[in-house]
Amino acid sequence: MRIAILLYDGFTALDAVGPYEVLCRVPNASVVTVAKRPGPVRTDTKVLALTADRSLRQVPAADVLVVPGAGDRGVLGAMDDAETLEWIRRIHRGSTWTTSVCTGSLLLAAAGLLRGVRATTYWASRSYLESQFGAVVVPERVVEAGKIITAAGVSAGIDMALHLAARLADEQVAQALQLAVEYDPQPPYDTGSPEKAGPELQQLALKLLADAAG
């Protein structure tokens, strides 16, 4: 079971690393990181880089595709990259599961995979995903529609990976993996969704993200 995680300039670190921490431990699965060129790929803050093991051309097929999200700079750049979108389409044609985290759903949509499909994404991108790409946006943490699984913002990638682990193995393995990474969220504040946070915190959250991305 080969799992390919796409990396591209400006992606969000936890969108890729969160699913990796779960999926790399699924029995009989191997994970490969893929980018336009092998080597370090900078995240949205430009401080951290992850290493891509293979180029897009070196990975013509995979059983599972994971597409992380990014801030505006990263996601818009990737959405305008014909080579990346064609690679997503090619992998999707042969995949068992095609997945995204956060605004990674916008890349799936730009590749033509989400029109008329139930999907979720980062809260600030819901209306864009629906109006520009015709996705049926559902404000849920993880949405499975056929072989496509989309996750909401950044931290939801871990939820998606556990959901996927149950599909790749079974629920007992997924439950054990949740324990293995001690995923037992007990956040200090109840402001993890826009509905709970309100408009003032929504604006501040988006400003903090933009400021961190420079």
Side-chain angles (χ1 to χ4, degrees), residues 5 11-22 48 50 68 158:
I5 301 178
F11 75 97
T12 299
L14 189 60
D15 287 9
V17 175
Y20 166 80
E21 286 293 341
V22 174
L48 179 67
L50 298 183
I158 300 174

Side-chain angles (χ1 to χ4, degrees), residues 8-10 69-82 85 103 106-107 110 128 133:
Y8 55 92
D9 183 49
D72 289 345
R73 176 181 64 86
V75 79
L76 292 174
M79 287 168 63
D80 286 337
D81 190 293
L85 296 184
T103 53
L106 297 180
L107 298 189
Y128 183 72
F133 297 104

Side-chain angles (χ1 to χ4, degrees), residues 165-187:
R167 298 291 187 268
L168 297 176
D170 56 44
E171 287 196 355
Q172 185 177 36
V173 167
Q175 291 169 2
L177 286 171
Q178 180 172 345
L179 176 59
V181 298
E182 201 170 349
Y183 183 53
D184 185 24
Q186 299 175 37

Side-chain angles (χ1 to χ4, degrees), residues 119-197:
T120 189
T121 190
Y122 185 60
W123 59 268
S125 299
R126 291 174 187 169
S127 60
Y128 183 72
L129 179 62
E130 191 165 43
S131 64
Q132 297 300 311
F133 297 104
V136 181
V137 174
V138 182
E140 295 178 4
R141 189 89 168 152
V142 177
V143 176
E144 180 180 326
K147 71 173 188 176
I148 296 176
I149 305 176
T150 52
V154 189
S155 63
I158 300 174
D159 299 61
M160 184 279 292
L162 291 167
H163 180 95
L164 180 57
R167 298 291 187 268
L168 297 176
D170 56 44
E171 287 196 355
Q172 185 177 36
V173 167
Q175 291 169 2
L177 286 171
Q178 180 172 345
L179 176 59
V181 298
E182 201 170 349
Y183 183 53
D184 185 24
Q186 299 175 37
Y189 308 108
D190 192 20
T191 56
S193 73
E195 293 79 13
K196 295 175 180 178

Side-chain angles (χ1 to χ4, degrees), residues 18-41:
Y20 166 80
E21 286 293 341
V22 174
L23 298 176
C24 71
R25 296 176 171 87
V26 172
N28 302 314
S30 64
V31 177
V32 60
T33 48
V34 189
K36 293 191 72 171
R37 289 168 294 278
V41 183

Side-chain angles (χ1 to χ4, degrees), residues 32-76:
V32 60
T33 48
V34 189
K36 293 191 72 171
R37 289 168 294 278
V41 183
R42 288 282 163 187
T43 63
D44 47 6
T45 63
K46 303 177 186 176
V47 175
L48 179 67
L50 298 183
T51 300
D53 299 322
R54 299 285 186 272
S55 70
L56 300 181
R57 294 182 180 182
Q58 290 175 310
V59 182
D63 300 293
V64 178
L65 171 62
V66 179
V67 179
D72 289 345
R73 176 181 64 86
V75 79
L76 292 174

